[in-house]
Amino acid sequence: MACQLKTLLVLLVFLLISNLQHCVNGIPQVPCLFIFGDSLSDNGNNNNLVTRAKANYQPYGIDFPEGPTGRFTNGRNIGDIIAELLGFENYIPPFASAPEGFEILKGVNYASGSAGIRNESGQHLGNRISLDRQLQNHQYTVSHIIEMLGGNQRATMYLSKCMYSITIGSNDYLSNYFLPMFYPTSQQYTPEQYANILIQQLTQQVMTLYRYGARKVVLYGLGQLGSIPIVLSLCGIISSSCEDSFNKVVQLFNDRLISLVADLNKNLWQAKFIFINTTSMDLEYTSSMVKNASCCELLGFGQFQCSPSGYVCHNRSQYMFWDAVHPTEAAYEFYGGRAYRAQSPTDAYPFDISYLAKL
């Protein structure tokens, strides 16, 4: 009798959560959101790591209700924006502090500052959680969900309705390929070869996520790396063609990522994958925004982080970059809004996040 009662309770919880997206008053359009990636999505996973890639100090979080949380911006990041647009009442918690109870059924954020597709990317900054390790952490989460929902079949059905977001790849260039003093990749591979290798590894990682139950996957393309403040400052003392070399590798990677999305949609008919064209948005996002400087005072020349004792611009909504690498909350609102509901045919392929959520 006790066993039957326990099974009935599990089924009731599962049915309640599975149908949340059909309710109103702010209930999410998908039952859960799992976030993977780098500092563009990190919301605290690096706080307790031995690394220089941290943002758990002021002025980071100056516009976030909880203050500095580990987000590499002044307020919300891309993961927060998408969670809001999908209707989540609360932001997705970081794996480092995520509860192990029913709360994880709403999703977990595994992203880690300085992480890459390749395991060594970002290692000169210290410890980080590479995408391979993030997938291992997700496997741990899935095992708990299977236990909570009473078996593989129920968990598989539940996870198939969730959204999975991946923002990764920038550090494989900024904190690997373009740092020959720390990494040999630029001597080992041409830009074309390196892009192929990254996509091959990412393909295997996405397939791992698919085996864990992912059926709605968002893959973000790289932005214009040649246009971020740290690259602009360094290129200013190197050559005028320096910026172009960064943007060319971005195009190589993004072209292959679009092809990967097309192949996955063709071969894995039970799942849907979409590509978010951040580069296209970058080229359109001009208006009156300050694009060539950071909003906060940096630690020093060649450094990407804000100084804890430095000045901060007051017109933050007019700046595209918070520090020398990461966007402001205002920029994330723009990117997130266009990713969720495309304003141009080039914003998303084959469709946007709002459409993916309905499938």
Side-chain angles (χ1 to χ4, degrees):
M1 181 68 180
C3 182
Q4 291 176 334
L5 180 60
K6 181 179 179 181
T7 301
L8 178 61
L9 288 172
V10 169
L11 281 171
L12 286 172
V13 170
F14 173 69
L15 290 172
L16 174 64
I17 297 172
S18 294
N19 286 285
L20 283 178
Q21 64 267 41
H22 301 300
C23 300
V24 292
N25 299 325
I27 298 302
Q29 298 154 35
V30 291
C32 47
L33 171 61
F34 294 105
I35 300 171
F36 303 81
D38 51 30
S39 54
L40 298 177
S41 301
D42 188 353
N43 63 346
N45 286 309
N46 274 24
N47 289 354
N48 296 320
L49 300 183
V50 180
T51 177
R52 285 183 285 154
K54 288 188 179 184
N56 57 342
Y57 64 88
Q58 295 181 346
Y60 289 100
I62 191 173
D63 297 311
F64 194 74
E66 299 173 25
T69 57
R71 290 167 169 83
F72 288 76
T73 186
N74 58 306
R76 297 163 296 161
N77 63 25
I78 190 67
D80 301 322
I81 301 296
I82 296 301
E84 284 186 358
L85 291 171
L86 286 171
F88 286 90
E89 183 178 353
N90 299 309
Y91 299 124
I92 305 303
F95 178 79
S97 59
E100 294 188 356
F102 282 104
E103 196 68 23
I104 67 170
L105 290 172
K106 296 178 182 178
V108 178
N109 186 327
Y110 305 95
S112 172
S114 78
I117 296 169
R118 292 174 67 93
N119 292 328
E120 81 274 10
S121 293
Q123 67 183 3
H124 69 287
L125 294 172
N127 198 4
R128 69 258 162 256
I129 309 167
S130 67
L131 185 53
D132 279 343
R133 287 178 57 200
Q134 292 177 37
L135 291 170
Q136 292 173 9
N137 291 339
H138 182 59
Q139 183 182 29
Y140 176 82
T141 299
V142 170
S143 67
H144 278 277
I145 291 175
I146 291 172
E147 183 179 349
M148 281 187 286
L149 296 184
N152 278 302
Q153 186 174 358
R154 293 181 188 130
T156 298
M157 185 184 304
Y158 181 75
L159 293 170
S160 69
K161 300 176 182 179
C162 299
M163 187 80 71
Y164 299 77
S165 173
I166 304 175
T167 55
I168 201 81
S170 294
N171 289 310
D172 294 292
Y173 288 102
L174 295 175
S175 293
N176 190 326
Y177 195 74
F178 285 113
L179 291 180
M181 68 288 289
F182 295 114
Y183 307 93
T185 45
S186 60
Q187 282 84 45
Q188 294 173 331
Y189 310 109
T190 66
E192 292 79 7
Q193 290 171 334
Y194 191 61
N196 288 337
I197 286 172
L198 289 179
I199 293 299
Q200 287 169 9
Q201 185 167 349
L202 182 60
T203 301
Q204 296 305 312
Q205 291 162 333
V206 172
M207 290 302 300
T208 297
L209 193 60
Y210 176 82
R211 288 193 293 272
Y212 293 159
R215 296 297 182 268
K216 298 182 179 183
V217 183
V218 182
L219 291 160
Y220 285 81
L222 302 185
Q224 293 283 93
L225 297 181
S227 301
I228 63 178
I230 192 169
V231 172
L232 289 174
S233 63
L234 293 174
C235 283
I237 60 173
I238 298 174
S239 69
S240 58
S241 62
C242 174
E243 299 164 28
D244 289 338
S245 65
F246 279 83
N247 290 333
K248 284 178 180 177
V249 300
V250 166
Q251 193 61 51
L252 290 171
F253 179 88
N254 286 347
D255 286 347
R256 286 157 176 77
L257 186 56
I258 295 172
S259 296
L260 171 60
V261 167
D263 289 342
L264 290 171
N265 283 325
K266 178 181 178 181
N267 297 319
L268 303 177
W269 59 271
Q270 291 181 317
K272 294 297 180 184
F273 301 82
I274 66 172
F275 166 80
I276 302 300
N277 192 352
T278 311
T279 298
S280 173
M281 297 177 192
D282 277 343
L283 296 175
E284 291 186 35
Y285 194 34
T286 53
S287 64
S288 59
M289 298 288 288
V290 177
K291 299 180 65 176
N292 60 352
S294 58
C295 182
C296 72
E297 183 178 349
L298 303 176
L299 286 171
F301 180 78
Q303 302 291 316
F304 73 88
Q305 289 167 287
C306 298
S307 169
S309 57
Y311 68 83
V312 176
C313 68
H314 295 292
N315 53 337
R316 293 186 278 278
S317 63
Q318 296 300 309
Y319 273 74
M320 185 170 180
F321 291 98
W322 172 242
D323 56 22
V325 172
H326 306 98
T328 57
E329 180 182 66
Y332 279 129
E333 285 181 337
F334 170 81
Y335 293 130
R338 295 278 288 261
Y340 178 76
R341 182 164 285 116
Q343 301 295 312
S344 166
T346 61
D347 285 351
Y349 169 81
F351 39 74
D352 58 28
I353 292 175
S354 66
Y355 189 87
L356 180 63
K358 298 174 185 176
L359 299 178

